[in-house]
Amino acid sequence: MISKTVFVLFTNLILVNCKDFASLSHLKPKASLGKQEDAAKDLYQRVLGPRAGEFVVKVQSNIGPKEKDTFLINTKEKYVEITGTTGVAAAMGLYYYLTNYCNCQITWGGRQMAIPSPLPKVEGGSVNITTNDKIRFFQNVCTVSYSSVWFKWADWEAYLDWMAMRGINMALAFTGQEAIFQRVYMGLGFTMKDLQDHFGGPAFLAWSRMGNMHGWGGPITQNWIDDQLILQHKILERMRSFGMIPVLPGFAGHVPEATILHYPTANVSRLRDWGHFNKTYCCNYLLDFNDPLFMKIAVRFIKEMENEFGVDHVYSVDTFNEMRPRSNSTEYLALSGRTIYKSLKEADSKAIWLMQGWLFIDGGFWKQPQIKALLTAVPQGEMIILDLYSEIIPIYTQTESYYGQPFIWCMLHDFGGTMELYGALKLINEGPFNGRAFPNSSMVGLGMTPEGIFQNEVVYEFFTENVWRKAPRDISTWISKYVLNRYGKTNKFIDLAWQYLKVTSAMFDRHNSW
Ligand SMILES: *[C@@H]1O[C@H](CO)[C@@H](O)[C@H](O)[C@H]1NC(C)=O
Ligand SMILES: *[C@@H]1O[C@H](CO)[C@@H](O)[C@H](O)[C@H]1NC(C)=O
Ligand SMILES: *[C@@H]1O[C@H](CO)[C@@H](O)[C@H](O)[C@H]1NC(C)=O
Ligand SMILES: *[C@@H]1O[C@H](CO)[C@@H](O)[C@H](O)[C@H]1NC(C)=O
Ligand SMILES: *[C@@H]1O[C@H](CO)[C@@H](O)[C@H](O)[C@H]1NC(C)=O
């Protein structure tokens, strides 16, 4: 008896250790509970309009376990009370109530908000839901260029409401970074013309930011740069007030061509062509990791962001996205990891490096020793890897769960913002559970990393329930409920049509290829 108890305690301990990285415990909302509660109230007002008066919303951090989010729904005689551990959790509680009890739906394509009156009661009068993971991440570095580049604040506001209602508590906040880079580079003697050659045009920033190409679709104007910075202030303010953690960019080593002019002794190399751009736009310069200029730019960049709008300690840095490193030596790759990590830490002692795992899809280059060299150059728990395409090509399974570094199980789903009908419902129904159950799993969250949005809403409604679902669901039953929410009533022909889409695999068993 005694040994069994000891054994159970011991395994629990291992599980806890494995998933709750102490090194990530400082990643949490910055805003006060009162501020988060106000942000949630405002969201309820935007979403519910005149019916908002029938809801009471509260934010209390102590209603559930640490490192997870919880919401409670209590239906009273005359109103519904929703309490969340954060502003995000309170927003998620509202969407849970709307979809599960009111048969409503809010997607990119439209809203079905025929909320019953009086408000439905929940069974037993109360519901208590805790998320499965610490982190729910959203956005791909490409999403902005495929889908949201022309967003005004009103579009961002709706977009952030959409995220909050699905429990997203960590999201890319890349807007306006050119203004910061501009200050850093101009402080180092570069000119606006140098930077216009370096930055892409507004619609192509995703790729110039990743060093894939430069200048294409430009030149970018000062007006655009300034306006985007103003927009970024609003985005950050709203994210933080919900209790989300914005992910800011870091410096990855890609520098303007004029570096060879202003810093003739800098050790730079040229990356290969990406996407068949010609010499005017391709083959960006990469600063060597040993060059002192690397540290200088990286640190100044973060300090400049800190001065401008504050930081949240998570930085996204991808040096080799779809671009092979110059050497496959483990020393070189370890140096790259060490340098990026060191530069982040030097600027912000609480920095955590977020990296897309997409590069590892190139198995011709990234073999086990190369991946291991890069990842283990960073102290355990000080980086987070986005397993970017977990539903189709998981990498955590090939790397002993990223050699112990925390990772986020992500559904990529969409390449290039394409608008076809597809989605791999079966795989995203089961995949996240397999990720958590993987031997020595270092999974810390769920993510969605579509290159483009505004398509196949059914897939996103389905996926985001994984945030709180405790087991995979019966897909046909779920589809019927989705259809009811979408149209607001039951119609056997519509239901049949949707079931038919599923059964014939015309839609739900396919996935996009790139
Ligand atoms: C809600 O459930 C969580 C565990 O999932 C528990 O820690 C918490 O105490 C519960 N809260 C209430 C008010 O029942
Ligand atoms: C430039 O960087 C490369 C790659 O790290 C290194 O092999 C080389 O020795 C460096 N050159 C100089 C002059 O430091
Ligand atoms: C690259 O293509 C552009 C047109 O798309 C052209 O203006 C430019 O001269 C080309 N550059 C080179 C080096 O061929
Ligand atoms: C690098 O690649 C070459 C061949 O392309 C191979 O012979 C060598 O073993 C690789 N180095 C490492 C450290 O894997
Ligand atoms: C899990 O980790 C333990 C301790 O590091 C190790 O001994 C074991 O081999 C690992 N299991 C798997 C399946 O990787």
Side-chain angles (χ1 to χ4, degrees):
M1 258 334 245
I2 288 169
S3 63
K4 197 173 169 193
T5 314
V6 169
F7 177 73
V8 169
L9 281 176
F10 188 60
T11 35
N12 277 342
L13 204 66
I14 289 176
L15 281 175
V16 169
N17 279 348
C18 177
K19 293 199 180 182
D20 288 345
F21 285 85
S23 53
L24 305 180
S25 64
H26 65 292
L27 303 184
K28 55 184 183 205
K30 259 180 146 178
S32 68
L33 298 177
K35 183 145 194 185
Q36 293 180 58
E37 193 171 289
D38 288 344
K41 275 184 191 151
D42 291 345
L43 177 144
Y44 277 47
Q45 194 65 52
R46 287 189 293 275
V47 169
L48 299 164
R51 302 293 300 270
E54 295 168 56
F55 288 79
V56 170
V57 52
K58 294 181 179 169
V59 173
Q60 285 171 14
S61 55
N62 59 358
I63 56 165
K66 279 200 168 113
E67 302 289 322
K68 303 273 160 72
D69 276 318
T70 297
F71 60 81
L72 306 173
I73 304 174
N74 287 300
T75 42
K76 311 274 190 183
E77 205 42 59
K78 290 236 160 62
Y79 63 95
V80 172
E81 181 186 83
I82 301 180
T83 310
T85 43
T86 62
V88 164
M92 186 172 30
L94 173 63
Y95 199 61
Y96 182 94
Y97 179 74
L98 288 174
T99 49
N100 287 290
Y101 296 95
C102 305
N103 304 331
C104 291
Q105 193 173 91
I106 301 172
T107 65
W108 295 315
R111 291 169 165 234
Q112 195 292 101
M113 287 289 283
I115 303 172
S117 195
L119 290 173
K121 301 262 183 279
V122 304
E123 64 283 346
S126 77
V127 168
N128 174 3
I129 303 282
T130 295
T131 61
N132 292 315
D133 312 291
K134 176 182 170 81
I135 299 172
R136 281 86 53 192
F137 176 84
F138 184 51
Q139 286 186 300
N140 186 298
V141 292
C142 298
T143 318
V144 61
S145 287
Y146 284 121
S147 299
S148 57
V149 53
W150 311 119
F151 271 18
K152 302 276 183 260
W153 168 240
D155 306 307
W156 265 103
E157 182 165 66
Y159 193 40
L160 293 169
D161 285 352
W162 182 96
M163 291 184 211
M165 285 190 282
R166 280 145 188 91
I168 303 303
N169 63 352
M170 186 182 280
L172 291 185
F174 272 20
T175 308
Q177 62 177 277
E178 281 67 32
I180 309 294
F181 270 121
Q182 184 184 31
R183 276 183 221 162
V184 171
Y185 282 124
M186 286 193 163
L188 292 168
F190 289 75
T191 66
M192 181 62 172
K193 172 75 175 62
D194 297 337
L195 298 179
Q196 284 175 325
D197 288 342
H198 178 59
F199 298 143
F204 299 92
L205 287 171
W207 300 283
S208 62
R209 287 169 181 171
M210 284 187 282
N212 299 144
M213 54 75 162
H214 58 272
W216 180 262
I220 202 167
T221 64
Q222 193 63 51
N223 255 345
W224 170 270
I225 292 176
D226 296 344
D227 282 354
Q228 291 292 297
L229 185 61
I230 294 168
L231 186 57
Q232 169 77 336
H233 274 275
K234 291 184 184 157
I235 293 167
L236 289 177
E237 160 64 22
R238 181 59 53 82
M239 282 184 172
R240 289 168 179 158
S241 69
F242 278 142
M244 283 180 194
I245 299 161
V247 177
L248 297 170
F251 175 67
H254 312 117
V255 286
E257 184 162 357
T259 303
I260 52 178
L261 208 76
H262 303 300
Y263 293 85
T265 58
N267 189 356
V268 292
S269 57
R270 291 196 88 158
L271 292 158
R272 298 199 313 188
D273 188 15
W274 175 93
H276 311 293
F277 284 93
N278 73 14
K279 277 271 178 332
T280 308
Y281 306 105
C282 85
C283 314
N284 284 31
Y285 282 89
L286 180 67
L287 198 52
D288 188 63
F289 298 101
N290 267 329
D291 197 292
L293 194 55
F294 191 106
M295 204 57 82
K296 197 175 209 170
I297 297 174
V299 172
R300 282 194 188 193
F301 179 67
I302 287 178
K303 291 286 182 202
E304 196 61 50
M305 285 194 294
E306 191 173 9
N307 287 338
E308 179 67 29
F309 40 62
V311 294
D312 304 83
H313 313 305
V314 186
Y315 303 93
S316 164
V317 186
D318 296 301
T319 301
F320 301 120
N321 194 64
E322 298 190 358
M323 286 177 309
R324 286 190 174 183
R326 66 198 281 180
S327 159
N328 70 350
S329 91
T330 50
E331 288 78 16
Y332 176 73
L333 298 168
L335 172 68
S336 75
R338 245 189 345 265
T339 307
I340 291 167
Y341 172 71
K342 216 173 107 200
S343 73
L344 296 174
K345 276 297 204 221
E346 196 160 309
D348 173 0
S349 62
K350 292 179 173 172
I352 297 291
W353 175 13
L354 183 86
M355 193 185 88
Q356 298 195 117
W358 182 247
L359 73 173
F360 302 137
I361 297 266
D362 178 9
F365 178 90
W366 291 98
K367 314 267 184 221
Q368 301 253 346
Q370 281 74 26
I371 302 178
K372 194 168 187 172
L374 174 56
L375 298 180
T376 55
V378 176
Q380 196 80 178
E382 297 278 313
M383 75 189 302
I384 301 172
I385 293 118
L386 299 173
D387 194 63
L388 214 71
Y389 195 24
S390 306
E391 80 273 34
I392 310 291
I393 309 181
I395 304 288
Y396 72 89
T397 53
Q398 307 166 32
T399 53
E400 297 165 30
S401 202
Y402 288 105
Y403 304 106
Q405 294 288 19
F407 81 91
I408 298 181
W409 197 106
C410 299
M411 171 184 81
L412 203 159
H413 181 253
D414 181 84
F415 288 99
T418 49
M419 294 285 168
E420 312 157 58
L421 292 177
Y422 56 82
L425 291 199
K426 190 172 177 316
L427 297 175
I428 60 174
N429 196 24
E430 291 157 12
F433 296 96
N434 298 336
R436 292 185 199 102
F438 190 72
N440 295 345
S441 177
S442 52
M443 174 172 161
V444 292
L446 272 183
M448 291 177 287
T449 48
E451 291 193 348
I453 55 169
F454 303 130
Q455 37 73 35
N456 294 297
E457 292 149 354
V458 59
V459 176
Y460 296 82
E461 294 297 289
F462 189 89
F463 185 79
T464 47
E465 288 190 3
N466 285 331
V467 166
W468 47 263
R469 279 195 179 272
K470 302 304 173 206
R473 70 219 94 159
D474 177 70
I475 299 179
S476 299
T477 311
W478 187 90
I479 291 285
S480 295
K481 178 71 168 91
Y482 171 81
V483 170
L484 170 62
N485 288 5
R486 184 174 174 91
Y487 302 103
K489 38 177 74 83
T490 310
N491 174 307
K492 69 175 182 194
F493 298 109
I494 296 177
D495 190 63
L496 203 61
W498 277 89
Q499 297 293 349
Y500 193 68
L501 279 175
K502 181 180 89 60
V503 172
T504 58
S505 302
M507 173 169 180
F508 299 132
D509 264 345
R510 288 203 312 128
H511 59 86
N512 195 199
S513 57
W514 74 93

